[in-house]
Amino acid sequence: MENKVARRYVTKVNELLSEEERPQIFEALKRYQSSMDLKRLIEDMKIVLNEPTKLEIYEYMRPLIPPKHQSDYDKLAPAPPGRKLRAITLRKRPNESFGFAVRGGFEHGVGIFVSHVNPGSQAEQKGLKVGDEIVRVDGYTIAEAVHEEVLNLIKGRDEIELKVTNIGMLPIKERATDPLTWSYVEKAQKGVQGNSEGSQRRQEVRAEEVKLFVNLRQAPSLGCRIVSGPSNYKGIFVEHVNPGSMGADVGIEAGDQIVNVNGTSFLNITHQEAIVALKSSKELNITIRKGVGLPLLSSVVDTSKAATQVTQAHIETPPSRSERYESDDSADENDAVLDMGS
């Protein structure tokens, strides 16, 4: 039986992965079988299984995981995409939006994905999730619809029925000419065993969230530089704070993680989208986690590659309307932005 399961796994790996990728995934399993480090296994797999077409491999690996770890494996590993469609009906209330943001579109070579759901919104209450792909809107298939068409279809109705399927990943494309990449939607993980060094390091520096209000009407900028974390340390982190700046005055420090700005989650957002959000208003309600990014900064501070990824928020400009990639269902038609809610 075990040989049959292993053969099915190898066959699927050979089918979905390139010759360069296959040794990496086989080595990850071999390393897990030696160390029993489940979190390290999932982290290694995510590096290779970096687009939706490869996610099926998680399901084929599961039978190779010892029974004592299978429950935790299910918590950590993404669910196979597209198993079933869910129907979600939303009714717009007076002076409210449906409470979610979308990204993607046919012009970008991807479908329409839910990139943010407002906490407490009707969308959240009805079960819409970040990482859901919207397949139909009121019975209309939107596989070949561009971003603006879908947004108008959603905004033009007081009641909509969405057919969605959870992919568990989001497309990333900061400009129309950029290559398409994918980012995992992190799942809440409770009671998961494992001894991953990276996970332990993040637990050690985890801190309570601090909420700040920043008024920039009398200041040229926040005075901070931000950096995007790598795939195993995702988030937006403060890399530097100018002495005497508004950011320094309100207590922002290098190593702080930016969690939310004016209702926009920074937990699953691109660097460019973060800059747009930080420039969106002269009054910023910012939620940070103190010192969470210090291990990241200590590992990249001397590398030129990391330095090129750091951009000062006050010198970036938002993309033009023609490059629209992500929008909130409440966005005004004159807003030329990528993101109205990550």
Side-chain angles (χ1 to χ4, degrees):
M1 178 65 180
E2 289 185 4
N3 289 338
K4 184 177 180 180
V5 169
R7 284 198 299 270
R8 291 179 66 242
Y9 169 71
V10 171
T11 299
K12 184 57 63 173
V13 169
N14 290 337
E15 175 188 334
L16 297 181
L17 300 185
S18 68
E19 291 185 5
E20 293 181 353
E21 295 169 327
R22 294 168 197 164
Q24 299 178 56
I25 208 73
F26 291 140
E27 182 60 30
L29 179 59
K30 183 179 179 181
R31 184 163 44 243
Y32 161 72
Q33 291 170 336
S34 174
S35 67
M36 288 290 104
D37 188 340
L38 185 60
K39 288 185 177 180
R40 172 67 185 277
L41 171 65
I42 299 299
E43 290 172 0
D44 289 343
M45 292 178 69
K46 285 183 175 181
I47 294 174
V48 182
L49 309 183
N50 54 8
E51 57 185 70
T53 57
K54 302 174 183 178
L55 294 182
E56 196 176 356
I57 291 176
Y58 286 104
E59 188 174 11
Y60 281 80
M61 181 178 281
R62 189 183 188 281
L64 301 176
I65 304 299
K68 66 178 182 178
H69 277 178
Q70 287 192 2
S71 176
D72 286 345
Y73 182 84
D74 290 341
K75 295 175 185 177
L76 291 166
R83 267 191 173 171
K84 61 179 180 180
L85 293 179
R86 307 186 333 266
I88 296 178
T89 300
L90 303 175
R91 296 177 178 84
K92 191 174 292 184
R93 300 165 182 151
N95 301 317
E96 287 189 10
S97 67
F98 291 122
F100 67 97
V102 298
R103 70 170 57 163
F106 184 71
E107 71 272 37
H108 299 290
V110 295
I112 297 292
F113 288 79
V114 177
S115 59
H116 178 70
V117 178
N118 295 340
S121 67
Q122 185 180 169
E124 182 187 54
Q125 294 169 4
K126 292 298 183 71
L128 196 64
K129 301 176 183 178
V130 174
D132 281 346
E133 181 179 8
I134 301 177
V135 179
R136 298 190 190 96
V137 177
D138 286 342
Y140 293 99
T141 299
I142 60 172
E144 297 185 0
V146 299
H147 183 95
E148 202 73 15
E149 290 173 337
V150 177
L151 187 61
N152 290 335
L153 187 62
I154 293 173
K155 289 173 61 178
R157 288 166 163 73
D158 293 327
E159 178 178 334
I160 56 172
E161 182 185 72
L162 306 177
K163 290 292 182 68
V164 304
T165 182
N166 191 261
I167 302 298
M169 300 185 84
L170 286 175
I172 303 294
K173 197 174 187 183
E174 296 188 7
R175 291 173 293 274
T177 56
D178 286 349
L180 179 68
T181 59
W182 294 85
S183 170
Y184 279 93
V185 175
E186 297 301 326
K187 299 195 296 185
Q189 298 161 6
K190 297 181 179 180
V192 178
Q193 299 176 352
N195 60 349
S196 167
E197 181 180 347
S199 300
Q200 288 181 343
R201 186 168 62 244
R202 296 202 69 167
Q203 290 173 358
E204 290 170 0
V205 298
R206 189 168 295 158
E208 75 277 9
E209 293 184 352
V210 177
K211 295 184 178 180
L212 306 171
F213 174 75
V214 184
N215 188 338
L216 295 175
R217 297 191 182 279
Q218 303 300 323
S221 71
L222 191 58
C224 302
R225 285 202 304 269
I226 59 174
V227 62
S228 300
S231 60
N232 64 339
Y233 213 115
K234 290 183 178 178
I236 301 296
F237 303 90
V238 178
E239 192 265 350
H240 175 75
V241 181
N242 295 335
S245 66
M246 182 61 70
D249 288 345
V250 300
I252 297 175
E253 300 175 295
D256 289 350
Q257 180 184 11
I258 302 177
V259 178
N260 192 289
V261 175
N262 289 351
T264 295
S265 172
F266 272 42
L267 298 180
N268 205 358
I269 192 172
T270 68
H271 187 266
Q272 179 66 26
E273 291 166 350
I275 291 172
V276 171
L278 286 167
K279 293 184 61 181
S280 64
S281 173
K282 286 291 186 179
E283 296 183 352
L284 301 175
N285 288 289
I286 304 176
T287 302
I288 61 174
R289 290 176 182 161
K290 299 297 294 182
V292 172
L294 288 173
L296 170 66
L297 298 185
S298 64
S299 65
V300 305
V301 68
D302 292 327
T303 64
S304 59
K305 180 179 180 181
T308 62
Q309 297 173 343
V310 180
T311 307
Q312 294 197 31
H314 63 273
I315 64 173
E316 290 287 341
T317 57
S320 67
R321 182 177 180 83
S322 64
E323 295 176 358
R324 178 171 282 193
Y325 174 60
E326 178 164 11
S327 301
D328 191 302
D329 69 278
S330 63
D332 186 274
E333 289 187 359
N334 294 321
D335 289 337
V337 297
L338 278 178
D339 168 55
M340 296 299 296
S342 163

